[in-house]
Amino acid sequence: MPSLHDVTAARRDPELVVLEGFHALKHAVRFGGDVLGVWTADGPALEALRERLAPDLALPPVTLVEHEELTRVVPRAQVLALARRPVQPDARALLALPGPEPVILLEAPRHLGNLGACVRVAAAAGAAGVISTGDQDPWHADALRGGAGLHFALPVRRVRELPPTDRALIALDPEGDVLGATGTPAIPPRAVLAFGTERDGLSDALLARADARLALPMRPGVSSLNLATSVAAVLYGLPSRT
Ligand SMILES: C[S@@+](CC[C@H](N)C(=O)[O-])C[C@H]1O[C@@H](n2cnc3c(N)ncnc32)[C@H](O)[C@@H]1O
């Protein structure tokens, strides 16, 4: 059984993840995460949260600690947990999944909260998985917090670059053909939907490789949408699979 003091080292351990806040813990438990330890300074408040927000859920055993002890490790969360990082399918296996669900590709996202919000909406909308490139670990505690722990609901994998795939590669780009306009192709099932980095958008290499370059319509004068907002708009604009 780990102690609260192990959490600091766990942040650098590629086999473990740190869950800050109730929602991250809730979804980790709900989607079968292997939670190794849970700490709070206020047991009754945590139990009240569970009853209000997740009455279906039995939390793993919780260790009570002093408030100062908890805030030294995590300054702004009522509950802290440690879980094993689930083994992820490699990117080729993820791309080979046969269903019509799209795969979300995030090219070098910078902002961990944004990255997490993309995972959250991908999980909610039923995407097959999320692949990211670049320096940021999509399983970083800040991304897990932004994703409300929904990383545990679908494969989330970082790669150096997108492996070859038989899926259509659709670049979402404000400069692309406007979705819904006459002559613009619809997004095919099973596509890889590629979204660019917050400041600079998609790389030239990705754009050159893409089968189509599509834009969400925007009012004149608006340069772009937020990354996670774009992922949400595209996923929820896809024809329903039911
Ligand atoms: C904040 S934007 C990047 C802005 C960047 N200056 C650009 O021109 O792409 C981050 C990502 O969100 C997606 N995005 C933002 N607005 C979009 C739009 N109107 N249509 C399609 N994708 C959009 C793109 O994938 C973009 O790379």
Side-chain angles (χ1 to χ4, degrees), residues 172-174 194-202 214-216 218 224-227 230:
L172 277 303
D173 177 18
F195 297 85
T197 190
E198 287 90 336
R199 181 173 299 161
D200 297 321
L202 286 162
L214 301 179
L216 292 155
M218 294 183 297
S224 69
L225 297 166
N226 161 274
L227 171 61
S230 310

Side-chain angles (χ1 to χ4, degrees), residues 101-196:
E101 295 81 8
V103 169
I104 303 303
L105 173 67
L106 303 174
E107 237 198 347
R110 297 303 317 150
H111 187 274
L112 287 163
N114 227 352
L115 203 174
C118 294
V119 171
R120 183 176 188 169
V121 73
V130 176
I131 296 176
S132 69
T133 64
D135 296 339
Q136 300 288 27
D137 177 7
W139 288 84
H140 185 286
D142 291 349
L144 276 157
R145 193 173 182 130
L150 278 161
H151 296 56
F152 287 85
L154 81 176
V156 177
R157 174 106 209 175
R158 179 165 52 144
V159 296
R160 197 190 302 270
E161 64 177 28
L162 181 70
T165 173
D166 65 346
R167 292 174 181 255
L169 176 58
I170 306 297
L172 277 303
D173 177 18
E175 302 294 316
D177 298 325
V178 176
L179 278 161
T182 313
T184 300
I187 294 176
R190 222 175 150 265
V192 174
L193 304 175
F195 297 85

Side-chain angles (χ1 to χ4, degrees), residues 10 14 19 22 24 29 33 42 62 70 76 80 90 103-104 117 132 139 155 193 200:
L19 305 169
F22 182 75
V29 173
D42 190 339
V62 176
L70 187 70
R76 56 195 173 106
L80 179 69
D90 76 20
V103 169
I104 303 303
S132 69
W139 288 84
L193 304 175
D200 297 321

